[in-house]
């Protein structure tokens, strides 16, 4: 079944306050594999929106449906585990496990979500992904020993290693210098090519956004406006 | 005038400044660009004594500061204000208490007058009525950056050092911050040294730019000269602007 | 070994610097009052709980032993003396180190890694006077007061415990307290409270201020505070008890 995501009157507040002012109300639908770029001013809530769509945070009200199914249970804030395993989220600050080596960071999601997989197969896949993102040779290094660009590559590999159908990237080039930024943008395009996934990328960087998609979604005034063509 | 003369600095095995030499004129807006880890922020920190060079000399006007003690840096820090990359506001104290950190010697009336003018200069007049009640975490990231700038401006330093002032900000806010840097520099006659990745805005407002690679200056010139420069690193930074 | 001696020297230097800056509390008095109130309020419930239950546990244990000898009548005195001299100060100090010490280390550590300490330095202020001195004295003074308070509460705890479990008359209990809780015991209790308070204040502030290396560093600082506080408290406890014992034996004490 083709991936699809529907946000029905999704509301979130700054800081996710129960009774706070609303940051945005989004009502949108995406069908089929595609790469969607979301931009907007600082403080508009782009990151918050991505985390709400990506299942990191529960919406204050409204629903986020993946192929018609909600991630969150009716009550009790529980999440649909099988749906969750089809989502890959790459955080802005990478959220790498500092106490694990690069190799262990990659093996971890597979060991959690594919417990029946053999150790040999898992290690083979992890090695393959390290190679794919240009980090072969860094297996036994820890995240804090890597440069900013290398950490980002590891984070991307960890996000994609489970071959998710829904992928979310929160400002993947934030804080990187222009040269590294370009390299990461290209890497993303390479990895997402021919992948049947529904992907969302939040960014502040117009130059990179241009390389990912001909038009963008803009979060402004609390609403997501479709398809602004980049100059 | 500020001058670096063959400055070297290492952190353990990692060499960050490898013979940095450059001079900055009074009153100019000077940008330092380069990839991460090339020593841009490290060079700024030397000017306010947060770091000491392994070798080489650094002059601020006629004073050579490379071997200065903490006490000797007190008057230097009055002359040179550093705006950090992270806002570095004191979360546990109110906005007012944060702003007056550098001007405690003034009386209450003088403090408030200066604060009012400075908040206006950085576009944060709306916060004036809430200064005593609000704390830094309640501000947006952009507002925190502006408040940090206001805090650095209040003691009226002659030289302003900006460490990646727009990293992490959206293009609109980035442009506003760069315009603010220019306005403050020209209206108040300050010397501004800006460390940045943002070549586009640098070319718009800088009087001169330096491009750093591997801890030293590989290119230096006015915006026009930089635009035409054949140096590889500079061209790599210019690629997005084609 | 040399590494540890170096570390000890750094600690001594830092402690001395904080101690002689007591007069600077006046400049930062508002911040000190704020910190003092904050620490006090945060630690009160922990102290009361620790105090009551330490007294109660010790009372029950003593009661079990004394019962066989038919000597329950001295329970009040023996328990109080034992609790305020030894067990009370250590247990209450441990709980305070965990609650207040860890929090202060984390707070200072976070300030360090988000450049707040550097920023304040660049604005012409001394970060030690501005951030650390008020916190050191807030933690140290609060700890001393709370320890003494906790020990007083422990008498109550012991009294209630044996009243409920062994039906011992509270009056009887309190009468024995007077007899056994000698001036020597009280002196020991108070001096331990003072030393433990100063130690906790120093350890949490030093580790927080010396934090390096991002969020990992903050976690490490908190861990160091917890471990070092407990080791220091136990060692100090031993030495104080030993020294007081010597003083008493040599008859210089009333």
């Amino acid at each position: 079944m083709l991936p699809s995501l529907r946000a029905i009157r999704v509301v979130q507040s700054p800081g996710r306050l129960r009774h706070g002012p609303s940051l945005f109300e989004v009502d949108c639908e995406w069908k089929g594999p595609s790469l969607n770029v979301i931009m907007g001013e600082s403080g508009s809530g782009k990151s918050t929106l991505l985390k709400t769509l990506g299942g990191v945070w529960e919406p204050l009200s409204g629903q986020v449906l993946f192929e018609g199914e909600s991630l969150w249970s009716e009550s009790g804030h529980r999440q649909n585990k099988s749906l969750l395993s089809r989502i890959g989220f790459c955080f802005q600050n990478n959220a790498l496990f500092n106490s694990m080596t690069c190799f262990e960071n990659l093996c971890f999601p597979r060991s959690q979500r594919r417990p029946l997989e053999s150790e040999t197969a898992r290690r083979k896949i992890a090695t393959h992904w390290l190679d794919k993102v240009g980090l072969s040779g860094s297996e036994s290094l820890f995240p804090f020993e890597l440069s900013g660009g290398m950490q980002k590559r590891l984070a991307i590999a960890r996000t994609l290693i489970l071959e998710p159908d829904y992928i979310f990237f929160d400002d993947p080039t934030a804080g990187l210098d222009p040269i590294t930024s370009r390299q990461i943008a290209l890497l993303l395009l390479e990895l997402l090519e021919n992948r049947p996934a529904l992907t969302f990328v939040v960014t502040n960087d117009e130059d990179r956004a241009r390389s990912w998609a001909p038009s963008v979604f803009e979060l402004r005034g609390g609403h997501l406006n479709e398809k602004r063509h980049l100059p | 005038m500020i001058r670096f003369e063959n400055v070297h600095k290492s952190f353990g095995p990692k060499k960050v400044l490898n013979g940095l030499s450059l001079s900055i004129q009074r009153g100019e807006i000077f940008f330092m660009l380069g990839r991460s880890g090339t020593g841009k922020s490290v060079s700024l920190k030397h000017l306010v004594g947060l770091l000491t060079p392994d070798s080489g000399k650094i002059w601020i006007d006629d004073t050579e500061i490379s071997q200065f003690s903490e006490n000797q840096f007190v008057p230097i820090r009055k002359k040179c204000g550093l705006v950090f990359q992270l806002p570095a506001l004191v979360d546990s104290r109110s906005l007012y208490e944060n702003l007056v950190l550098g001007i405690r010697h003034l009386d209450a009336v003088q403090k408030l007058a200066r604060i009012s003018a400075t908040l206006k200069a950085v576009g944060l007049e709306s916060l004036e009525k809430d200064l005593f009640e609000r704390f830094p975490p309640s501000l947006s990231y952009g507002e925190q950056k502006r408040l940090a700038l206001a805090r650095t401006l209040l003691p009226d330093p002659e030289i302003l050092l900006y460490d990646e002032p727009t990293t992490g900000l959206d293009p609109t806010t980035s442009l506003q911050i760069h315009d603010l840097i220019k306005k403050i520099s020209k209206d108040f006659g300050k010397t501004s040294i800006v460390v940045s990745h943002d070549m586009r805005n640098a070319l718009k407002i800088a009087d001169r730019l330096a491009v750093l690679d591997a801890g030293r200056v590989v290119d230096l010139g006015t915006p026009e000269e930089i635009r035409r420069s054949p140096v590889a690193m500079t061209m790599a930074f210019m690629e997005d602007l084609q | 070994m040399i590494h540890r001696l170096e570390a000890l020297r750094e600690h001594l230097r830092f402690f001395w610097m904080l101690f002689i800056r007591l007069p600077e509390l006046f400049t930062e008095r508002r911040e000190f009052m704020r910190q003092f109130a904050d620490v006090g309020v945060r630690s009160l419930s922990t102290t009361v709980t620790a105090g009551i239950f330490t007294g109660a546990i010790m009372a029950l244990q003593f009661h079990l032993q004394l019962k066989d000898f038919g000597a329950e009548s001295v329970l009040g005195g023996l328990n109080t003396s034992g609790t305020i001299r030894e067990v009370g100060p250590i247990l209450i100090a441990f709980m305070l180190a965990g609650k207040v010490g860890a929090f202060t280390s984390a707070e200072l550590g976070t300030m360090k890694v988000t450049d707040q300490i550097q920023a304040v330095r660049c604005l012409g202020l001394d970060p030690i006077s501005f951030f650390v001195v008020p916190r050191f004295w807030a933690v140290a003074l609060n700890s001393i007061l709370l320890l003494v308070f906790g020990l007083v509460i422990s008498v109550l705890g012991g009294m209630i415990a044996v009243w409920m479990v062994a039906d011992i008359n509270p009056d009887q209990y309190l009468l024995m307290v007077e007899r056994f809780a000698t001036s020597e015991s009280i002196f020991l209790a108070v001096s331990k409270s003072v030393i433990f308070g100063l130690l906790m204040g120093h350890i949490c502030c030093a580790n927080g201020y010396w934090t390096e290396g991002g969020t990992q560093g903050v976690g490490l600082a908190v861990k160091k505070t917890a471990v070092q506080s407990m080791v220091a408290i136990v060692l100090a406890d031993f030495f104080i008890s030993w020294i007081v014992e010597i003083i008493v034996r040599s008859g210089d004490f009333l």
Side-chain angles (χ1 to χ4, degrees), chain A residues 39-43 46 174-180 182-183 204-208 210, chain B residues 34-36 140 142 164 167-173 197 200 233 235-237 239-240:
Chain A
M39 297 185 76
E41 282 181 4
S42 301
K46 313 187 289 296
L176 300 174
D177 64 72
I179 297 161
T180 314
R182 274 200 295 278
Q183 290 169 348
N204 266 329
D205 193 336
E206 278 184 351
D207 297 312
R208 302 292 82 80
R210 239 187 292 260
Chain B
R35 301 193 66 175
S36 306
S140 72
E164 297 203 35
T167 299
L169 294 177
D170 64 271
T172 316
T173 315
H197 288 152
R200 186 176 274 117
M233 182 56 68
M235 284 171 65
F237 267 87
E239 222 177 283
D240 287 331

Side-chain angles (χ1 to χ4, degrees), chain B residues 163-187:
Chain B
D163 191 355
E164 297 203 35
T166 58
T167 299
L169 294 177
D170 64 271
T172 316
T173 315
S174 280
L175 185 58
Q176 288 169 356
I177 298 279
H178 278 96
D179 285 340
L180 190 56
I181 293 172
K182 184 169 186 178
K183 188 177 122 187
I184 290 168
S185 198
K186 298 305 177 192
D187 288 355

Side-chain angles (χ1 to χ4, degrees), chain A residues 2-5 66-67 83 86-88 164-168 197-198:
Chain A
L2 287 175
S4 74
L5 194 145
F66 295 79
E67 293 154 39
L83 197 46
R86 295 169 61 205
I87 299 174
D165 299 317
Y166 300 91
I167 315 175
F168 299 84
L198 180 49

Side-chain angles (χ1 to χ4, degrees), chain A residues 159-209:
Chain A
T159 308
L160 299 176
I161 201 168
L162 284 171
E163 315 273 354
D165 299 317
Y166 300 91
I167 315 175
F168 299 84
F169 289 101
D170 192 354
D171 216 346
T173 59
L176 300 174
D177 64 72
I179 297 161
T180 314
S181 236
R182 274 200 295 278
Q183 290 169 348
I184 296 292
L186 273 169
L187 178 67
L188 274 182
L189 274 179
E190 254 174 57
L191 295 173
L192 294 172
E193 210 175 358
N194 304 321
R195 190 171 292 274
L198 180 49
T199 308
F200 296 86
V201 184
V202 151
T203 186
N204 266 329
D205 193 336
E206 278 184 351
D207 297 312
R208 302 292 82 80

Side-chain angles (χ1 to χ4, degrees), chain B residues 149-173:
Chain B
L149 175 53
R151 184 179 67 173
T152 309
L153 281 173
L154 274 159
D156 203 24
E158 297 164 30
I159 302 165
L160 288 168
L161 310 172
Y162 298 87
D163 191 355
E164 297 203 35
T166 58
T167 299
L169 294 177
D170 64 271
T172 316
T173 315

Side-chain angles (χ1 to χ4, degrees), chain C residues 86 90 188 192 196 232-245:
Chain C
E86 286 304 333
I90 290 190
L188 197 58
K192 283 186 182 178
F196 292 174
I233 287 167
V234 167
L235 284 175
D237 182 81
F238 170 73
F239 281 110
I240 298 170
S241 300
W242 190 29
I243 291 169
V244 171
E245 168 88 16

Side-chain angles (χ1 to χ4, degrees), chain C residues 38-52:
Chain C
D38 207 38
V39 171
V41 164
R42 246 188 290 129
S43 324
L44 205 54
S45 56
T46 308
T47 310
V48 169
T49 313
I52 291 185

